[in-house]
Amino acid sequence: SKKAKKQKSKKAKKQKSKTTTMGSCMSSEKKPDAGGIDKKASKGSTLNKQPSGNPPPRPPNAKGPPPPNARGPPPRGGGPPQVNFNMGGPQGAVLEDDDDDSDFEGHAPGLCPKCKMDITGEEKIKNAYGASWHPTCFTCPVCDGDMRREDPIVKGGFPYHEHCYNKEFGATCPVCEQIIVGEAMKALDKNFHCECFVCDVCKRPLEGQIHYENGHLYCNPDYIDTFKPRCSLCEKPIEGFFILALEQKFHKDCFVCENCKKPLEEFVEVDGYAFCELCDPNSKDFVCAICDLPLAGKTYEKNLWGETYCVEHDGLFPKCESCGTMSCQIPDPGAQVLCKHCRENTEIDAEKAKEICQRVVADLAKVGLEIKDPPPVRLATQAQINELCIKTHKGYSSCTKFSGKRPVEILVRRGMVLEEIESSIAHELGHFYLYVRGFPQLKPMVEEGVCETFRAKFLEQQMEIDPKFGFGPQMRADAMERKKKIAENSNMIFGGGYRGLADAMKSERKTFAQALDIIYETKWFPR
């Protein structure tokens, strides 16, 4: 009837569906098929072409009775009946005929596509999709329901009910795990129902940056609130910079003293809580290292090794000759000026010196300065060092003893602090490195510049063993002070050589290893 044909025509026109594609950020609209499936609407075409000699399909607006053989069986002797099916289907479904099914190569001739039995000579058959069917075999492959009076969806040359096709081949929404029919949202390489494409927390439609986690969708604020680490004090999510202390994470402004609530840069842990030094419950004698007056509630200074003193004393006492920090005491006449730490760490014997040398070799290897079989280290007096060293080394705390042109022993001054012995050995290993690698004889300024760079490279590897804050490894304060002294050395051979090499590497953009190669070839700094 006209009414039925108009309904089928309207149904075919509704095949178009709209899909919005989204990534980590929403993108502009485009129109692939719903649910991520390619949709091919045939607008009323039949599933099979009319064979030659048969009348063409009747137009929808045709009047009068249908032409002969347009429907129903042909006259006797005219061959099997031709069955036509409308291609209109549901939104979001794949609609295709056998001409458009690129993966379908056609049914075997002479055989029923379902039961695979010979159908030649059968009187009652259905002819569809380029094959002849037993009428009882023309069924949906999923539910086995009769398809002779249905509007099928075709896949692989077989007719499917709409709901059976969607169940078998349709896209599934990952949120509700139901088949998608109609409009869909595509994001994060997945397809969603439009009504499911909302934040799991606030239930608002998603836009901007979105996240998919454990089968749920989140807007960016709710994702941060749900999954980002939280501050141990305020319990709010942490974004970006944070402080790691007491095996917990804190916002910078939330890490405060348990007693006075002031932000902490350094702290003392007592029973799992952080205190500033003034509020430390275990500190009964928090006094100045110089005048012994209490420092509680006062502004104070601290040297490299943690000795505290009144701010009024700053600059009034000599600096330690070893580490450069304020000594916090008046030395005895003629005695070496040392701070408390350096004075208590000068008892180094031969066995300890050997261990120190091995540690220095290992630290230099970390920056690519491999040294094998270094010469032994001997503790000596300053007079012995001055007697054996070359003119440029006289008065310095270490030297390398040579036998002919071969270095055989490293001498360091007895009574030096541990950290000073380490850096002196690093310097002398620079001389040994140049000999082993076959460098030509260099000018004193160049050779000492290289060896002072060895010393600086070693100091750069001296890190805090247990930093109090979550900033990663930090160079020790005393090592930074010693490296600063190298750069500020007024001696033109040692300080000038170090600065010359450092400036040349910076201006020519060379690494230390590349600079050594250039020095080997040219006997001078990179230029």
Side-chain angles (χ1 to χ4, degrees), residues 140 285 301 365 380 443:
C140 174
D285 300 318
E301 297 287 343
K443 292 184 177 181

Side-chain angles (χ1 to χ4, degrees), residues 98-223:
D98 51 320
D99 286 338
D100 292 329
D101 194 351
S102 59
D103 296 331
F104 176 59
E105 298 179 354
H107 295 299
L111 300 179
C112 174
K114 182 175 181 181
C115 67
K116 307 300 181 184
M117 301 294 292
D118 188 0
I119 201 169
T120 306
E122 295 280 350
E123 291 186 4
K124 294 184 178 181
I125 61 173
K126 297 292 183 184
N127 188 29
Y129 320 134
S132 298
W133 308 63
H134 293 112
T136 54
C137 290
F138 196 71
T139 58
C140 174
V142 178
C143 67
D144 210 31
D146 189 352
M147 298 298 295
R148 286 176 289 179
R149 296 184 180 275
E150 301 288 340
D151 287 335
I153 301 173
V154 183
K155 177 72 174 178
F158 287 87
Y160 290 83
H161 289 111
E162 171 190 341
H163 62 278
C164 293
Y165 179 87
N166 287 333
K167 181 179 179 180
E168 192 74 9
F169 302 106
T172 302
C173 174
V175 176
C176 66
E177 299 183 352
Q178 299 297 316
I179 299 296
I180 298 175
V181 178
E183 290 188 1
M185 301 293 286
K186 187 173 183 181
L188 307 174
D189 296 326
K190 301 179 187 295
N191 298 291
F192 302 86
H193 288 118
C194 293
E195 60 271 20
C196 294
F197 197 68
V198 296
C199 175
D200 190 67
V201 178
C202 65
K203 305 303 180 185
R204 296 176 181 173
L206 290 168
E207 58 183 15
Q209 188 174 2
I210 63 174
H211 305 270
Y212 179 73
E213 190 81 27
N214 301 327
H216 299 283
L217 288 164
Y218 299 90
C219 62
N220 195 52
D222 286 327
Y223 179 81

Side-chain angles (χ1 to χ4, degrees), residues 176-332:
C176 66
E177 299 183 352
Q178 299 297 316
I179 299 296
I180 298 175
V181 178
E183 290 188 1
M185 301 293 286
K186 187 173 183 181
L188 307 174
D189 296 326
K190 301 179 187 295
N191 298 291
F192 302 86
H193 288 118
C194 293
E195 60 271 20
C196 294
F197 197 68
V198 296
C199 175
D200 190 67
V201 178
C202 65
K203 305 303 180 185
R204 296 176 181 173
L206 290 168
E207 58 183 15
Q209 188 174 2
I210 63 174
H211 305 270
Y212 179 73
E213 190 81 27
N214 301 327
H216 299 283
L217 288 164
Y218 299 90
C219 62
N220 195 52
D222 286 327
Y223 179 81
I224 292 172
D225 189 63
T226 304
F227 293 100
K228 290 292 185 180
R230 293 181 175 272
C231 174
S232 296
L233 182 67
C234 68
E235 299 184 354
K236 293 181 179 180
I238 297 175
E239 288 192 87
F241 176 84
F242 65 89
I243 290 177
L244 179 64
L246 306 176
E247 298 183 357
Q248 301 175 67
K249 296 177 181 178
F250 299 87
H251 291 115
K252 181 180 178 181
D253 296 334
C254 291
F255 188 59
V256 297
C257 173
E258 185 68 22
N259 183 45
C260 65
K261 306 303 179 184
K262 294 181 179 179
L264 292 172
E265 294 183 359
E266 297 181 358
F267 71 98
V268 178
E269 181 182 356
V270 179
D271 297 330
Y273 295 97
F275 294 88
C276 63
E277 288 184 323
L278 292 177
C279 299
D280 181 4
N282 297 328
S283 179
K284 298 179 180 179
D285 300 318
F286 186 49
V287 297
C288 173
I290 297 173
C291 65
D292 291 334
L293 292 177
L295 292 174
K298 295 178 60 178
T299 302
Y300 62 91
E301 297 287 343
K302 184 186 297 186
N303 67 9
L304 291 177
W305 308 107
E307 290 182 283
T308 54
Y309 53 90
C310 299
V311 67
E312 294 84 0
H313 301 317
D314 192 32
L316 298 180
F317 287 76
K319 291 186 176 182
C320 173
E321 295 179 8
S322 175
C323 65
T325 192
M326 199 170 86
S327 62
C328 295
Q329 59 184 342
I330 299 176
D332 295 331

